[in-house]
């Protein structure tokens, strides 16, 4: 197959994939833009309820907080609490889903007397945006078809990366100007092609990182492959174990599972060296509680220790400390922070947000290029000669 034939075939593949996926990719990208600085926005909106005045009295233990919260009308079943070593930080309480599958809004609680400070603003909005970004609001969320659809869109985007890179490969490939400088003196089709190709080159590395990390959330085979490649064998074997199905219905354990013993064990294990910790009650009949602990010297979501602690006995079942992970295992733990550019700090998050916001530009210029190419390929109407009377 000759070079022009290969390029013609790649152009068809690139165009068809772009036309089919344009709207979906724009939706995924723009919802990602909205979530880029979610933490900062939510903290700003709720500045009045996430902090309390420090007091000389000791903060209430978690079980006492939950007990006082139960007296609040319409309070749901507590599923997790976020505690902090900062004496001025409020306690963040999340609730379990109800019989209809809905989840009540979380609340912030005063750690010293247990009274509710308020419901966080923006939480429901960002939850909806996140479900749209990941699962397109298709019923079933992570168990529905939305997860696979976004994964197929990501695979299609990789096809567009490869075909687009081959199609735009300049004759002077060593010239940075040819790769990185758009020709703004052009107009019409020439300008559209320059913007589409050059700005695409700028954002290609970011899009590639976004796509490769986004596939982690869409396909189990991809996730298992990454774990097998980057983690130590015994860690990979543990992570690739199939999840046990949750029991149907809401079956309560014989005795209520509390937080206090697990909380005491965490304080002993971490020796006060954490900034905040999230304690999550078991979803089923077990008593093993999952606990995440973030150190004081990091703002990244991925830099955390994880424990499994028996809430009934306080025994540590497992401890997964971030400092003990290999480089590959730290990459696995940081998939979300890599996906959103947070591993590079504020500049990284800003760069990833701008790159995602440029996705509609590729959709628009790509459609214009396709329509203009179709117009050029359309055969010209035959010219009618002067007719002689009688012919």
């Amino acid at each position: 197959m000759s070079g022009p034939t290969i390029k013609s075939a790649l152009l068809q593949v690139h165009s068809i994939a772009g036309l089919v996926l344009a709207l979906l990719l724009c939706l995924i990208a723009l919802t990602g833009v909205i979530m880029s600085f979610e933490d900062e926005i939510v903290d700003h909106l709720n500045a009045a309820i996430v902090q309390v005045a420090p007091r000389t009295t000791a903060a209430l233990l978690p079980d006492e907080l939950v007990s006082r919260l139960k007296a609040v009308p319409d309070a749901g079943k507590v599923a997790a609490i976020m505690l902090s070593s900062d004496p001025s930080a409020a306690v963040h309480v999340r609730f379990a889903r109800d019989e209809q599958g809905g989840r009540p809004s979380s609340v912030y609680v005063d750690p010293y007397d247990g009274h509710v400070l308020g419901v966080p603003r923006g939480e429901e909005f960002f939850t909806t945006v996140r479900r749209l970004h990941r699962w397109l609001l298709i019923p079933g969320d992570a168990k529905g078809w939305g997860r696979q659809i976004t994964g197929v869109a990501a695979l299609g985007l990789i096809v567009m990366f490869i075909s687009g890179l081959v199609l735009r490969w300049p004759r002077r490939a060593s010239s940075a100007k040819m790769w990185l400088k758009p020709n703004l003196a052009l107009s019409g089709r020439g300008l559209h092609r320059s913007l589409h190709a050059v700005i695409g080159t700028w954002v290609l590395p970011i899009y590639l990182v976004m796509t490769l990390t986004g596939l982690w959330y869409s396909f189990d085979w991809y996730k298992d492959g990454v774990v097998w490649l980057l983690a130590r064998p015994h860690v990979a074997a543990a992570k690739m174990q199939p999840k046990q199905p949750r029991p149907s219905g809401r079956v309560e354990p014989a005795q209520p599972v509390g937080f206090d013993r697990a909380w005491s064990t965490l304080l002993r294990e971490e020796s006060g060296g954490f900034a905040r910790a999230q304690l999550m009650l078991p979803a089923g009949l077990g008593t093993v509680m999952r606990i995440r602990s973030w150190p004081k010297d990091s703002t990244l979501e991925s830099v955390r220790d994880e424990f499994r602690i028996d809430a009934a006995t306080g025994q540590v079942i497992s401890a997964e400390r971030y400092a003990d992970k290999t480089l590959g295992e730290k990459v696995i733990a940081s998939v979300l922070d890599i996906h959103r550019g947070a591993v590079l700090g504020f500049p990284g998050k800003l760069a990833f947000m701008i790159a995602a916001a440029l996705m509609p530009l590729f959709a628009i210029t790509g459609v214009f290029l396709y329509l203009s190419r179709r117009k050029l390929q359309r055969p010209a109407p035959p010219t009618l000669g002067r007719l002689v009377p009688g012919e």
Side-chain angles (χ1 to χ4, degrees):
M1 188 179 289
S2 63
T5 305
I6 293 175
K7 283 203 168 186
S8 178
L10 285 175
L11 181 59
Q12 291 297 322
V13 170
H14 189 85
S15 300
I16 293 172
L19 291 172
V20 171
L21 298 175
L23 289 178
L24 179 57
L25 291 173
C26 287
L27 175 64
I28 295 172
L30 293 179
T31 49
V33 170
I34 294 172
M35 294 189 297
S36 295
F37 290 94
E38 174 185 353
D39 295 339
E40 291 81 356
I41 294 171
V42 170
D43 287 346
H44 177 74
L45 290 175
N46 298 288
I49 63 173
V50 299
Q51 297 288 323
V52 298
R55 302 172 207 174
T56 55
T57 56
L60 298 174
L61 290 174
D63 286 345
E64 178 63 22
L65 277 173
V66 173
S67 177
R68 297 193 182 192
L69 194 60
K70 289 179 180 177
V72 177
D74 301 324
K77 179 186 175 182
V78 174
I81 57 174
M82 181 78 79
L83 301 165
S84 175
S85 61
D86 182 357
S88 65
V91 177
H92 193 189
V93 179
R94 297 185 182 276
F95 299 98
R97 295 188 183 276
D98 54 27
E99 288 85 351
Q100 289 75 38
R103 190 187 296 276
S105 297
S106 66
V107 295
Y108 281 95
V109 178
D110 190 310
Y112 297 99
D113 59 23
H115 85 270
V116 176
L117 299 171
V119 174
R121 297 167 59 191
E123 181 181 71
E124 186 174 349
F125 169 76
F126 280 110
T127 298
T128 302
V129 172
R130 189 175 300 106
R131 291 180 61 235
L132 181 59
H133 180 78
R134 292 182 176 180
W135 310 307
L136 308 176
L137 295 181
I138 293 175
D141 291 345
K143 297 180 181 180
W145 284 102
R147 181 170 173 248
Q148 283 75 30
I149 293 174
T150 56
V152 170
L155 291 174
L157 191 56
I158 292 177
V159 171
M160 293 170 67
F161 293 157
I162 298 171
S163 57
L165 189 61
V166 174
L167 289 168
R168 82 135 308 186
W169 198 273
R171 289 190 178 90
R172 291 183 292 157
S174 60
S175 171
K177 180 179 178 180
M178 295 295 292
W179 283 103
L180 302 175
K181 184 180 179 181
N183 190 347
L184 302 179
L186 298 174
S187 61
R189 176 180 171 80
L191 178 61
H192 297 155
R193 189 179 189 282
S194 181
L195 292 175
H196 193 85
V198 175
I199 297 180
T201 304
W202 293 353
V203 300
L204 179 60
I206 294 178
Y207 280 2
L208 190 59
V209 171
M210 287 179 173
T211 304
L212 294 177
T213 51
L215 285 169
W216 172 275
Y217 299 99
S218 292
F219 300 115
D220 290 334
W221 57 264
Y222 182 88
K223 183 176 182 179
D224 290 343
V226 173
V227 170
W228 175 82
L229 183 66
L230 298 180
R232 290 167 291 180
H234 70 280
V235 175
K239 288 185 176 293
M240 292 166 64
Q241 288 290 330
K243 292 183 178 180
Q244 296 297 324
R246 294 182 179 180
S248 57
R250 293 185 60 186
V251 182
E252 302 292 343
Q255 293 183 346
V257 177
F259 290 97
D260 284 356
R261 287 191 177 179
W263 175 238
S264 297
T265 300
L266 178 71
L267 292 175
R268 184 177 67 250
E269 290 289 322
E270 294 288 67
S271 302
F274 66 93
R276 54 196 175 97
Q278 184 181 47
L279 288 70
M280 293 165 277
L281 288 174
L285 291 172
T287 59
V288 177
M289 186 178 296
R290 183 181 179 189
I291 300 178
R292 292 173 173 172
S293 171
W294 289 266
K296 295 178 180 179
D297 58 351
S298 177
T299 58
L300 292 177
E301 177 69 20
S302 57
V303 180
R304 63 180 184 237
D305 298 336
E306 296 211 14
F307 298 88
R308 300 290 192 278
I309 298 177
D310 192 319
T313 64
Q315 179 184 358
V316 178
I317 306 301
S318 67
E320 188 178 308
R321 298 184 183 277
Y322 185 82
D324 296 334
K325 296 178 184 291
T326 64
L327 176 60
E329 289 161 5
K330 287 179 179 179
V331 170
I332 291 172
S334 305
V335 166
L336 180 58
D337 284 329
I338 295 172
H339 182 72
R340 57 205 291 258
V343 290
L344 301 176
F346 177 84
K349 292 173 70 172
L350 182 62
F352 275 53
M353 183 189 75
I354 293 173
L358 288 172
M359 182 62 77
L361 171 69
F362 300 109
I364 294 170
T365 55
V367 170
F368 284 164
L369 288 170
Y370 174 79
L371 293 177
S372 62
R373 186 165 62 251
R374 294 277 294 181
K375 185 177 181 180
L376 290 173
Q377 292 173 347
R378 193 177 302 150
T383 303
L384 298 179
R386 184 182 299 274
L387 296 179
V388 178
E391 289 186 345

